Amino acid sequence: MGELLLIFIGSALVSNVVLSQFLGLCSFVGVSKKVNTAMGMGFAVIFVTTIASICTSLIYKFILIPSGLEYLQTIVFILVIAALVQFVEMVIKKYSPALYNALGVYLALITTNCAVLGVALINVKKDYGILTSIVNGVGTAVGYLIAIILLAGIRERIEHNDVTKSFQGMPIVLITSGLMAIAFFGFSGLI
């Protein structure tokens, strides 16, 4: 149990997928304008990453390895993630049209969100079992959620501040993200 907790904390804080591994930056920067939208995206990523971790672990261990087709892991994982995102998109469109409209094209970008694919590949690389893969996936997605909500909150505050013209828009967002990455680097001594 202690090992799973360490993997969860390590995935969420120490090896934050966005701020230390720099995966998933497109949706991280694109959807972080408002906290509500960022939360919706974060929870969608948690759902997709968790289910993708389960599915990809099962497929890899019970289909790809016995068949000797391990080299197809990336293609198979992309297909699984794409199918899961389509499912999530349909559910959000049906039950939360406002969130669906707010997320816009970024919801479809979860399909190409390299953070989700990165988790699946890291699970295989580290030879995690199914439970450990799930914990790593959830931890990574929670780390993504924390980072995107923090950035959204900061962006909402910055919106009402005087920012030099040359730093307005994306430059201040990237500087803020860099400062957040430095702050999260402080967690590296935690584990």
Side-chain angles (χ1 to χ4, degrees), residues 109-132:
L109 283 177
I110 297 176
T111 303
T112 58
N113 189 338
C114 52
V116 180
L117 178 60
V119 170
L121 293 174
I122 287 169
N123 289 341
V124 168
K125 180 182 174 188
K126 292 188 176 183
D127 198 30
Y128 284 160
I130 295 170
L131 180 61
T132 313

Side-chain angles (χ1 to χ4, degrees), residues 68-134:
L69 300 172
E70 296 95 337
Y71 60 90
L72 292 176
Q73 68 187 6
T74 304
I75 294 169
V76 171
F77 293 174
I78 289 171
L79 293 173
V80 168
I81 292 165
L84 289 171
V85 170
Q86 290 304 310
F87 173 72
V88 169
E89 191 172 351
M90 290 186 306
V91 169
I92 290 176
K93 187 175 184 178
K94 181 173 179 153
Y95 293 108
S96 183
L99 179 60
Y100 177 80
N101 291 329
L103 292 175
V105 70
Y106 293 104
L107 185 58
L109 283 177
I110 297 176
T111 303
T112 58
N113 189 338
C114 52
V116 180
L117 178 60
V119 170
L121 293 174
I122 287 169
N123 289 341
V124 168
K125 180 182 174 188
K126 292 188 176 183
D127 198 30
Y128 284 160
I130 295 170
L131 180 61
T132 313
S133 295
I134 295 168

